[in-house]
Amino acid sequence: MKLLFNKEGNNNIIVKIQQGTVPIEFTYTEMIKQLIDNNVIDDTDFGNLSDDEQKNLKDMLNKISEIFNQDNEGEEENE
């Protein structure tokens, strides 16, 4: 999954998610769907975000990915 971040002039951060080769508006349902299919957040484009903003987003994305890893490990143990 590829996420694209961009900060507008009013400091709002816009997020898009790449579906195939096309960036679409970000939705949590699309993100969860892609994480269930393949728990990989790769090639994130942080656009014009500051280093602190990038660090915070990376930390958040790692925590989200860890949640899906825990869920997958639990399913494997039940099989």
Side-chain angles (χ1 to χ4, degrees):
M1 169 177 47
K2 180 174 183 175
L3 296 172
L4 308 155
F5 295 89
N6 191 37
K7 189 185 332 182
E8 295 181 327
N10 59 3
N11 286 332
N12 284 341
I13 296 175
I14 303 299
V15 183
K16 294 198 178 227
I17 189 167
Q18 192 155 328
Q19 187 176 48
T21 59
V22 179
I24 61 171
E25 293 300 316
F26 176 86
T27 64
Y28 286 103
T29 53
E30 180 62 30
M31 181 181 78
I32 291 169
K33 178 181 151 222
Q34 288 193 28
L35 286 171
I36 289 171
D37 290 344
N38 183 15
N39 185 21
V40 176
I41 301 172
D42 58 357
D43 196 23
T44 302
D45 182 349
F46 291 105
N48 59 349
L49 274 60
S50 71
D51 289 342
D52 284 341
E53 291 166 329
Q54 288 182 35
K55 181 190 177 309
N56 289 336
L57 286 168
K58 286 176 187 176
D59 290 345
M60 180 190 67
L61 293 172
N62 285 335
K63 288 177 184 177
I64 291 170
S65 188
E66 286 174 15
I67 291 169
F68 281 87
N69 280 336
Q70 291 172 358
D71 286 348
N72 288 337
E73 289 171 4
E75 288 176 11
E76 290 172 3
E77 291 174 5
N78 290 330
E79 291 179 356

